[in-house]
Amino acid sequence: MEFPKEFFLDEVREGFYVPAMMKRAWAAEIEILFEIDKICEKHELHYCIDYGTLLGAIRHRGFIPWDDDIDIMMMREDYEIFSKVANAELPEELSFCSIMDNSNYELTSHVKHNKMLISSKALGKYHNYLYGAGVDIFPYDRLSTDHEKEKNRIELFDALCILASLPSIDEKNITVLEYETKKVEKLLGIKLQYSPNYRKELLQLLKDCVQKFNQDGGHKIASLPDLTLYKDMGKGVFEDSWFGADSFMNFEFLSLPAPKEYFAVIKNKYHDYGLMKKDGGAHNYPLYKKMEAEYMKGIGGKLFYQYPIDRNELKARNSTAFFSNKKGNATEQEKSVLFLPSLYSHWDTMRGVFEEARKDKKMECFVMPIPYYFKDGLGNCSPAQWDFDLYENEFGKNSPYLLDFRNFDLEALHPDAVFINEPYDEYNLSFMVEPSFFSKKLKHYTKQLFYIPWFVTSEIDIENPEDGKAIVNAENYIVMPALVHADYAILQSEMIVKLYRGILEKESGKEYAKYWEEKLLPLGIPLSDNRPIGENPATKNIWSHLRKLIRE
């Protein structure tokens, strides 16, 4: 499947930073969904997006920024057909697994990769996502019209799920085992015997349980695990007509099948579906975290896209030996300031600072857009891209402020201050600026190197569990070369500085606490906030601090 190259770039959605690896995971999941869709079309089976995927389609027209999987639902009759044909028709790198599989102790069904894709010939098909992905499938069953019968069924289902999910019958499980076994025996009037076929018999009882009322003509349906999870909340029961005729919703750049009455479904599942709840660090987010750790353990160090901070470089920044020693009185001499943006869409956080600098009579300011590359996730680059024409549209042709990088030798130009907004150098899966403009090189061509992140996130509180996922993702933009090589990083708040310092000190050691304290400046958000450029008090405040540093 063809994806827009921009899809794989790091992105901030709803104030939440989504890294390139997650984008590739999303793409891999969409490819798996495409394989599921082909089987369903061949056998005339119906499925719909569900749970977080449905919520994402309604609220974001795509993935929820802090979600990392795809969920779909099928009615039991379609699900049973799919479960019989899936493994014969899926490509060899994929398998269908369900709770009914004797070796599977999970309570969900899914189509997933058989193993990590790092050395797989299918790696390219899944957009060079290095790890295994999957799509969760939730079968829905009909409920009894008799409330008491349904109550007993759910009690039985709950007990059977607990027994079937215990990987062993040992001392630590024995109390739970005995309690749930007695419950099943009482409800079914049978005697359970532990034997080599014990779990197989449990799974058959479970299968009979979920399908018990599917032929009774009831109009209420549910994914039965929901009724055990939310039994005190009255959620998870739907009208079958809500999932009736095909309906489609926009999802990323696709159109996916959705419930006919999708608002009724989502209000039932999440009564506060409009609220942005990031749910902390739960759900083992991100899905590749464990696999990534295994890969790192296997190679005995960081991966090719992870930046290893060199403490010798931190020490080098305490020296000014490589700085230009210009003659003249520093307090009176005009200073040259150069802004080096790349992607025009990333220019927003630089623009206001440039406009303030341009108005400063003691500053000679220029913007020099630099080339960049899209990367394929393995380090290979596309042909160079250059957004000069977009900057030219903004500044006007022949603008004295706009420089063509092809006409200038940066080392000879040697500006007093250089501003960059990309933190990565080569340490990003999907994006890279021209190597001659890497931060590790720029630090030798200027007295002061300033880093302003191209993005603005929501505030992140390291003490708040709800920000757990945001903190996990923060390493993708904090442990990066620009934070080491820049003399100063302009950050949006004290809270964000605290986040940066915690992660950077963990990487470099507590002895560098003061180093980071001096470098990370909580000066505010340099965006215009929809006001005319140059009329943002925050940007004025930022520049008033920066000009003092430049003129030192």
Side-chain angles (χ1 to χ4, degrees):
M1 188 183 301
E2 286 293 323
F3 282 67
K5 289 181 179 179
E6 292 78 7
F7 176 84
F8 297 102
L9 297 178
D10 297 55
E11 180 184 355
V12 174
R13 297 188 180 188
E14 303 291 350
F16 186 87
Y17 190 97
V18 184
M21 183 64 84
M22 183 57 70
K23 290 294 199 70
R24 294 190 177 276
W26 286 354
E29 290 165 354
I30 289 173
E31 292 288 354
I32 295 173
L33 182 62
F34 181 65
E35 296 294 345
I36 293 171
D37 185 84
K38 286 195 292 187
I39 295 173
C40 288
E41 183 175 5
K42 176 180 176 181
H43 294 276
E44 298 182 341
L45 308 177
H46 180 73
Y47 75 91
C48 292
I49 55 175
D50 202 0
Y51 294 97
T53 308
L54 177 60
L55 179 58
I58 293 171
R59 204 169 63 188
H60 308 280
R61 293 180 176 269
F63 285 96
I64 297 173
W66 40 90
D67 198 6
D68 61 356
D69 61 3
I70 289 179
D71 306 312
I72 65 173
M73 65 78 65
M74 295 180 186
M75 289 302 300
R76 176 65 62 175
E77 53 265 33
D78 289 332
Y79 172 85
E80 289 299 325
I81 296 172
F82 181 87
S83 66
K84 288 181 173 63
V85 303
N87 281 320
E89 300 191 17
L90 286 167
E92 62 181 357
E93 71 273 6
L94 296 173
S95 294
F96 169 75
C97 304
S98 82
I99 191 176
M100 301 306 173
D101 297 324
N102 196 35
S103 60
N104 180 27
Y105 291 94
E106 299 179 30
L107 295 181
T108 56
S109 298
H110 41 250
V111 172
K112 66 177 183 178
H113 288 115
N114 301 320
K115 59 182 180 180
M116 287 197 290
L117 295 168
I118 293 170
S119 58
S120 168
K121 63 183 180 181
L123 181 61
K125 175 181 176 181
Y126 296 97
H127 306 280
N128 295 332
Y129 172 59
L130 301 176
Y131 310 110
V135 171
D136 291 335
I137 304 174
F138 297 89
Y140 277 48
D141 291 284
R142 295 186 182 277
L143 305 183
S144 173
T145 55
D146 186 316
H147 177 74
E148 196 60 31
K149 287 183 179 179
E150 191 56 59
K151 181 181 177 182
N152 290 338
R153 193 259 292 266
I154 294 303
E155 187 178 1
L156 174 63
F157 174 80
D158 192 19
L160 288 170
C161 282
I162 292 172
L163 293 176
S165 64
L166 292 176
S168 63
I169 298 178
D170 54 25
E171 187 175 345
K172 68 178 182 179
N173 293 327
I174 194 68
T175 302
V176 174
L177 172 72
E178 290 176 348
Y179 178 78
E180 300 299 337
T181 297
K182 288 179 181 177
K183 190 187 298 183
V184 170
E185 290 175 341
K186 180 180 179 181
L187 288 167
L188 292 179
I190 63 172
K191 190 71 176 175
L192 286 177
Q193 297 291 337
Y194 184 66
S195 69
N197 292 322
Y198 170 76
R199 191 164 186 278
K200 188 175 181 180
E201 292 171 1
L202 280 177
L203 294 177
Q204 184 58 52
L205 291 174
L206 190 57
K207 187 173 183 178
D208 294 341
C209 177
V210 296
Q211 300 196 59
K212 188 171 185 179
F213 304 120
N214 281 343
Q215 308 306 317
D216 291 0
H219 297 294
K220 303 284 188 181
I221 62 174
S223 172
L224 294 193
D226 282 356
L227 299 190
T228 65
L229 291 171
Y230 306 124
K231 58 186 175 184
D232 297 326
M233 300 170 66
K235 298 198 306 183
V237 177
F238 311 94
E239 297 289 339
D240 60 359
S241 60
W242 294 355
F243 294 86
D246 284 346
S247 179
F248 289 86
M249 298 185 69
N250 291 331
F251 189 88
E252 301 299 336
F253 54 90
L254 304 169
S255 182
L256 298 182
K260 178 183 176 183
E261 302 293 339
Y262 56 84
F263 267 122
V265 172
I266 212 67
K267 287 178 182 177
N268 181 293
K269 288 180 180 287
Y270 314 104
H271 71 278
D272 54 356
Y273 69 92
L275 296 178
M276 303 293 182
K277 293 184 178 180
K278 300 173 187 176
D279 295 328
H283 193 45
N284 297 316
Y285 180 91
L287 77 158
Y288 51 82
K289 186 176 183 179
K290 182 178 179 181
M291 293 175 282
E292 188 177 60
E294 290 175 2
Y295 189 9
M296 290 175 62
K297 184 177 180 181
I299 65 172
K302 289 203 169 191
L303 306 177
F304 67 91
Y305 55 87
Q306 296 172 322
Y307 176 57
I309 290 181
D310 183 347
R311 296 186 183 186
N312 290 321
E313 288 190 317
L314 300 184
K315 293 175 182 177
R317 299 308 291 163
N318 293 326
S319 169
T320 58
F322 57 85
F323 286 163
S324 166
N325 293 313
K326 294 191 175 183
K327 296 179 181 179
N329 189 327
T331 60
E332 296 179 0
Q333 181 184 350
E334 188 177 70
K335 299 290 185 177
S336 58
V337 181
L338 182 63
F339 292 79
L340 296 178
S342 54
L343 271 167
Y344 184 72
S345 60
H346 287 182
W347 168 237
D348 287 350
T349 57
M350 268 190 178
R351 183 185 285 110
V353 177
F354 166 76
E355 290 296 335
E356 291 297 328
R358 184 168 69 169
K359 293 186 295 185
D360 194 317
K361 290 183 170 36
K362 295 294 184 180
M363 300 289 165
E364 186 181 23
C365 299
F366 303 99
V367 175
M368 190 162 75
I370 59 177
Y372 61 90
Y373 304 86
F374 293 113
K375 297 171 71 177
D376 67 357
L378 299 177
N380 303 306
C381 295
S382 69
Q385 313 288 308
W386 193 35
D387 289 353
F388 187 82
D389 58 332
L390 298 176
Y391 291 94
E392 198 172 46
N393 288 340
E394 177 178 330
F395 284 87
K397 288 192 175 183
N398 303 316
S399 168
Y401 299 105
L402 193 60
L403 304 183
D404 184 332
F405 81 97
R406 296 170 297 184
N407 301 330
F408 292 91
D409 180 343
L410 192 57
E411 185 172 9
L413 189 63
H414 212 107
D416 292 284
V418 168
F419 284 82
I420 58 174
N421 62 355
E422 303 289 352
Y424 320 106
D425 286 5
E426 67 265 49
Y427 295 96
N428 187 279
L429 288 169
S430 301
F431 179 82
M432 185 177 77
V433 298
E434 165 59 41
S436 58
F437 296 100
F438 282 174
S439 63
K440 62 185 175 184
K441 293 186 177 182
L442 292 176
K443 69 177 183 178
H444 297 290
Y445 301 151
T446 182
K447 182 179 179 181
Q448 302 273 40
L449 182 61
F450 293 90
Y451 166 58
I452 302 177
W454 61 263
F455 57 90
V456 175
T457 68
S458 299
E459 288 295 285
I460 301 172
D461 183 355
I462 61 175
E463 305 295 334
N464 186 352
E466 188 174 336
D467 284 336
K469 293 180 180 180
I471 294 169
V472 167
N473 280 355
E475 292 190 15
N476 293 278
Y477 58 83
I478 292 178
V479 185
M480 283 289 147
L483 275 298
V484 170
H485 301 134
D487 295 285
Y488 298 101
I490 290 74
L491 304 179
Q492 66 195 57
S493 68
E494 292 280 2
M495 188 176 289
I496 294 298
V497 165
K498 187 176 181 181
L499 169 71
Y500 273 63
R501 284 183 59 185
I503 291 175
L504 289 167
E505 286 174 23
K506 180 181 177 182
E507 284 289 316
S508 61
K510 289 289 185 181
E511 62 268 33
Y512 288 95
K514 188 167 181 58
Y515 172 86
W516 299 117
E517 180 183 354
E518 294 174 350
K519 176 178 288 197
L520 306 175
L521 306 179
L523 297 183
I525 299 175
L527 291 174
S528 63
D529 298 330
N530 297 319
R531 282 172 280 194
I533 293 172
E535 294 185 13
N536 181 12
T539 305
K540 291 178 182 289
N541 177 63
I542 291 170
W543 177 246
S544 70
H545 282 80
L546 297 183
R547 76 183 305 277
K548 293 175 185 176
L549 294 172
I550 294 170
R551 299 195 63 77
E552 285 180 350

